[in-house]
Amino acid sequence: EARLVESGGGLVKVGGSLRLSCAASGFTFEDYAIGWFRQAPGEERKEVLCIESSDGRTYGGDSVKGRFAIFSDSAKDVVYLQMKSLKREDTAVYICAARYGGSCTAKYEYDYWGQGIQVTVSS
Protein backbone atom coordinates (compact mmCIF):
# COMPACT_ATOMS: atom_id res chain seq x y z
CA GLU A 1 0.00 0.00 0.00
CA ALA A 2 1.37 3.38 -0.99
CA ARG A 3 1.85 5.82 1.86
CA LEU A 4 3.20 9.30 2.40
CA VAL A 5 3.77 10.43 5.97
CA GLU A 6 4.70 13.99 6.85
CA SER A 7 6.58 14.94 9.98
CA GLY A 8 8.47 17.86 11.46
CA GLY A 9 5.70 20.41 11.71
CA GLY A 10 4.81 22.48 14.72
CA LEU A 11 4.96 25.95 16.17
CA VAL A 12 7.78 28.28 15.23
CA LYS A 13 8.41 31.99 15.67
CA VAL A 14 8.59 34.51 12.86
CA GLY A 15 12.03 34.38 11.29
CA GLY A 16 12.62 30.84 12.41
CA SER A 17 13.30 27.68 10.43
CA LEU A 18 11.68 24.30 10.14
CA ARG A 19 12.34 21.15 8.14
CA LEU A 20 9.45 18.96 7.08
CA SER A 21 9.90 15.36 6.03
CA CYS A 22 7.78 13.27 3.69
CA ALA A 23 8.47 9.57 4.07
CA ALA A 24 7.31 7.45 1.12
CA SER A 25 6.60 3.74 1.14
CA GLY A 26 4.76 1.17 -0.93
CA PHE A 27 5.85 2.45 -4.36
CA THR A 28 9.01 2.88 -6.42
CA PHE A 29 10.28 6.25 -5.27
CA GLU A 30 12.35 7.00 -8.36
CA ASP A 31 9.29 6.69 -10.63
CA TYR A 32 7.51 9.58 -8.96
CA ALA A 33 7.66 13.31 -8.64
CA ILE A 34 7.04 14.52 -5.10
CA GLY A 35 5.35 17.81 -4.46
CA TRP A 36 4.86 19.84 -1.32
CA PHE A 37 1.60 21.73 -1.05
CA ARG A 38 0.13 23.96 1.60
CA GLN A 39 -3.36 25.01 2.53
CA ALA A 40 -4.01 27.97 4.78
CA PRO A 41 -7.35 28.42 6.56
CA GLY A 42 -10.01 29.54 4.12
CA GLU A 43 -7.74 29.21 1.12
CA GLU A 44 -7.24 26.71 -1.66
CA ARG A 45 -4.45 24.19 -1.58
CA LYS A 46 -1.41 25.44 -3.49
CA GLU A 47 1.72 23.74 -4.69
CA VAL A 48 4.90 25.09 -3.12
CA LEU A 49 7.72 23.04 -4.58
CA CYS A 50 8.19 19.81 -6.50
CA ILE A 51 11.13 17.48 -7.03
CA GLU A 52 11.65 14.81 -9.63
CA SER A 53 13.01 11.85 -7.70
CA SER A 54 14.86 10.38 -10.65
CA ASP A 55 17.27 13.27 -11.10
CA GLY A 56 16.60 15.77 -8.34
CA ARG A 57 15.30 18.56 -10.56
CA THR A 58 13.14 21.00 -8.65
CA TYR A 59 10.31 23.24 -9.75
CA GLY A 60 8.25 25.99 -8.24
CA GLY A 61 9.05 28.14 -5.28
CA ASP A 62 7.88 31.46 -6.69
CA SER A 63 5.47 31.91 -3.81
CA VAL A 64 8.17 31.46 -1.20
CA LYS A 65 10.88 33.47 -2.96
CA GLY A 66 13.95 31.37 -2.16
CA ARG A 67 13.11 30.90 1.51
CA PHE A 68 12.11 27.27 1.01
CA ALA A 69 14.06 24.43 -0.58
CA ILE A 70 13.11 20.90 -1.49
CA PHE A 71 15.51 17.99 -1.60
CA SER A 72 15.34 14.24 -1.38
CA ASP A 73 17.20 11.29 0.06
CA SER A 74 16.62 8.44 -2.35
CA ALA A 75 18.33 5.98 -0.03
CA LYS A 76 15.62 6.63 2.56
CA ASP A 77 12.75 7.49 0.18
CA VAL A 78 12.26 10.79 1.97
CA VAL A 79 11.65 14.26 0.56
CA TYR A 80 12.36 17.28 2.73
CA LEU A 81 11.02 20.80 2.71
CA GLN A 82 13.50 23.13 4.34
CA MET A 83 11.85 26.38 5.38
CA LYS A 84 13.68 29.45 6.66
CA SER A 85 12.84 33.08 7.42
CA LEU A 86 9.32 31.94 8.18
CA LYS A 87 6.52 34.47 8.12
CA ARG A 88 3.09 34.40 9.70
CA GLU A 89 1.56 33.92 6.25
CA ASP A 90 3.43 30.61 5.95
CA THR A 91 1.04 29.20 8.54
CA ALA A 92 -0.78 26.32 6.87
CA VAL A 93 -1.25 22.61 6.68
CA TYR A 94 1.61 21.24 4.59
CA ILE A 95 0.93 18.17 2.50
CA CYS A 96 3.17 16.06 0.31
CA ALA A 97 1.99 14.17 -2.75
CA ALA A 98 3.41 11.77 -5.32
CA ARG A 99 2.77 11.74 -9.06
CA TYR A 100 3.60 8.70 -11.16
CA GLY A 101 5.72 9.34 -14.20
CA GLY A 102 8.22 11.44 -12.34
CA SER A 103 7.44 14.79 -13.90
CA CYS A 104 6.81 17.94 -11.91
CA THR A 105 5.41 19.68 -14.95
CA ALA A 106 2.83 17.08 -15.99
CA LYS A 107 -0.76 18.24 -16.07
CA TYR A 108 -2.36 15.18 -14.56
CA GLU A 109 -3.27 14.69 -10.95
CA TYR A 110 -1.08 13.47 -8.17
CA ASP A 111 -1.66 9.81 -7.28
CA TYR A 112 -0.96 9.67 -3.56
CA TRP A 113 -1.37 12.22 -0.80
CA GLY A 114 -0.20 12.42 2.76
CA GLN A 115 -2.42 13.42 5.67
CA GLY A 116 -0.77 16.80 6.06
CA ILE A 117 0.95 18.43 8.97
CA GLN A 118 0.33 21.75 10.66
CA VAL A 119 2.91 24.52 10.61
CA THR A 120 2.10 27.56 12.69
CA VAL A 121 4.27 30.66 12.61
CA SER A 122 3.73 33.07 15.48
CA SER A 123 5.11 36.48 16.28
Side-chain angles (χ1 to χ4, degrees):
E1 179 185 1
R3 288 188 71 196
L4 294 168
V5 179
E6 301 94 340
S7 61
L11 179 65
V12 63
K13 291 194 174 182
V14 170
S17 299
L18 209 56
R19 178 182 291 184
L20 304 183
S21 299
C22 172
S25 62
F27 60 91
T28 304
F29 187 73
E30 291 75 17
D31 291 343
Y32 286 76
I34 307 294
W36 276 102
F37 294 74
R38 66 183 182 183
Q39 186 166 19
E43 296 186 12
E44 292 185 353
R45 184 176 62 203
K46 298 176 183 176
E47 187 168 3
V48 178
L49 281 162
C50 178
I51 186 167
E52 297 181 346
S53 302
S54 60
D55 58 13
R57 289 187 187 183
T58 64
Y59 296 82
D62 290 346
S63 63
V64 294
K65 293 183 172 57
R67 297 183 296 116
F68 291 11
I70 187 171
F71 58 99
S72 66
D73 184 341
S74 59
K76 298 180 179 179
D77 290 357
V78 176
V79 172
Y80 301 95
L81 184 67
Q82 179 68 51
M83 306 184 290
K84 65 179 182 180
S85 303
L86 283 162
K87 305 176 181 180
R88 291 188 66 181
E89 50 264 43
D90 294 318
T91 294
V93 174
Y94 285 74
I95 312 149
C96 63
R99 177 194 280 139
Y100 180 72
S103 172
C104 284
T105 58
K107 301 303 181 184
Y108 44 89
E109 295 295 320
Y110 279 79
D111 298 280
Y112 309 122
W113 293 86
Q115 293 289 330
I117 193 162
Q118 179 69 45
V119 171
T120 302
V121 184
S122 66
S123 56

